[in-house]
Amino acid sequence: LFIILIVFFVSIFFTGKTFAADISVSANNGVSVGDTFEVGINTNTGGVLINSVNVVLDYREDLMSFAGYKSDNGVIKFWVDSPKDKLGKVYFSGIVPGGVSGLYDQSKKTLSDIPIVTLLFTANHEGSAEFSFVKTELLENDGKGTALTHQEINKTITIKNSTGTGQVPSSGENTFDQIPPEPFVVTFVEPSLT
C-alpha cells in the first residue's frame, strides 16, 4: 500500500501540466500580401467566471502591420487599454462587469469559447508569421482578482505573395449586405376625417 501511494504522488508531481482553461489565437492559415485579415483572441475558461483580461501579443512586424480591432462580437465592452500596437506587440486589457464563463452554443448544448476581441492586420510581405502570447492574464470574478491558470495557444499563418483583394475575409458571422436596395418611394397618407 505504501508503494502504491508513493507511485501515485510521484505520478501527480512529474506528469505534464494539463489546464482546463486556455487562451488562443484564431486566424486563417493563409493570406495574401495586401490583404487585411482578422485574428481572433478567444478563451475557454473551463466554466470558471472571469471578469478581466490582460494580453500582450507578439507578431512579425516585418511581415505585417497592425490595422486596428473590432470589438462588436467580443465580450470586452469596457477597455482599460484598448488594443494598441508598439514595436511588433499588441497590448490590451479590459473588463466584463459581472463576469462571463462562456457563451451558450445551442447546437452543441454546451458553453463555447469566449471571443475577447478581433484584431486586424495587413499582410505586407510573404513568409511564415507566428502570433504568440508574451503575457496573458485571466482574472476570476471572485472578488479577489484570482489569476485563472490557463494554457496559451499560439498560431502560425502563411503569407503568400499574390494579388490580394484588400478585403477582410468573412467568417460567416459578420456578413454585411453589399447590395444597395432597390429604388423606392415613401408616401405619407393622412387619415381621412370621416
Side-chain angles (χ1 to χ4, degrees):
L1 180 63
F2 181 73
I3 293 174
I4 294 173
L5 288 175
I6 290 176
V7 170
F8 174 75
F9 285 114
V10 168
S11 67
I12 289 176
F13 290 112
F14 293 107
T15 58
K17 284 187 174 181
T18 58
F19 301 100
D22 64 55
I23 187 166
S24 62
V25 179
S26 64
N28 289 334
N29 290 328
V31 297
S32 298
V33 171
D35 285 352
T36 298
F37 60 97
E38 298 180 353
V39 174
I41 307 298
N42 307 296
T43 185
N44 177 343
T45 66
V48 176
L49 204 60
I50 62 166
N51 66 4
S52 179
V53 176
N54 185 14
V55 173
V56 179
L57 181 72
D58 187 47
Y59 70 94
R60 294 272 311 266
E61 68 177 331
D62 59 324
L63 299 180
M64 64 188 112
S65 56
F66 180 63
Y69 70 97
K70 297 188 322 185
S71 59
D72 50 346
N73 286 337
V75 296
I76 303 295
K77 299 302 180 197
F78 298 102
W79 293 104
V80 176
D81 287 310
S82 61
K84 291 177 183 55
D85 172 50
K86 185 176 181 185
L87 302 174
K89 292 178 177 51
V90 177
Y91 299 79
F92 62 89
S93 60
I95 59 172
V96 180
V100 62
S101 60
L103 300 180
Y104 185 72
D105 184 342
Q106 189 170 354
S107 65
K108 296 179 183 176
K109 301 206 182 311
T110 186
L111 292 179
S112 65
D113 288 356
I114 303 167
I116 297 171
V117 68
T118 300
L119 304 174
L120 302 174
F121 290 87
T122 301
N124 299 323
H125 302 286
E126 66 180 316
S128 179
E130 182 177 17
F131 294 96
S132 57
F133 291 108
V134 176
K135 174 184 177 182
T136 58
E137 290 179 317
L138 303 173
L139 301 182
E140 294 183 28
N141 188 39
D142 61 358
K144 302 174 192 173
T146 304
L148 177 64
T149 303
H150 60 278
Q151 177 182 8
E152 297 171 346
I153 303 171
N154 301 322
K155 176 77 175 181
T156 301
I157 64 164
T158 302
I159 301 173
K160 299 174 185 168
N161 192 14
S162 63
T163 306
T165 62
Q167 302 279 329
V168 177
S170 175
S171 63
E173 291 180 23
N174 294 328
T175 305
F176 298 102
D177 186 3
Q178 300 295 324
I179 302 169
E182 294 181 22
F184 62 94
V185 176
V186 177
T187 306
F188 294 98
V189 179
E190 294 185 35
S192 65
L193 299 171
T194 59

